[in-house]
Amino acid sequence: MAHVLGVLRHSGPRLLTDLMDDEEFDGWSSQRLEDAVVSAWSRNVISITPGDLVVAL
């Protein structure tokens, strides 16, 4: 969760589908990234817009 938040704070808003292609997540499975995004979202540290844009809060 913290890594996802750090990447978003550094890069700015990103499309959810683009996160997996980010070199910061090399070696991460899609399940690990999904779990981290869900964890961050459930803790209200990121927002996901209806267009799947992920934004750090």
Side-chain angles (χ1 to χ4, degrees):
M1 185 222 45
H3 190 66
V4 170
L5 185 58
V7 168
L8 289 171
R9 286 187 172 155
H10 181 261
S11 70
R14 303 280 302 276
L15 287 174
L16 188 55
T17 55
D18 291 345
L19 284 179
M20 193 65 189
D21 294 330
D22 193 301
E23 65 185 29
E24 290 287 333
F25 300 107
D26 281 350
W28 283 46
S29 68
S30 57
Q31 185 64 53
R32 181 178 177 195
L33 182 57
E34 180 182 340
D35 290 347
V37 168
V38 169
S39 177
W41 176 80
S42 68
R43 293 175 188 203
N44 293 316
V45 296
I46 65 169
S47 176
I48 303 174
T49 70
D52 289 336
L53 188 66
V54 184
V55 181
L57 301 177

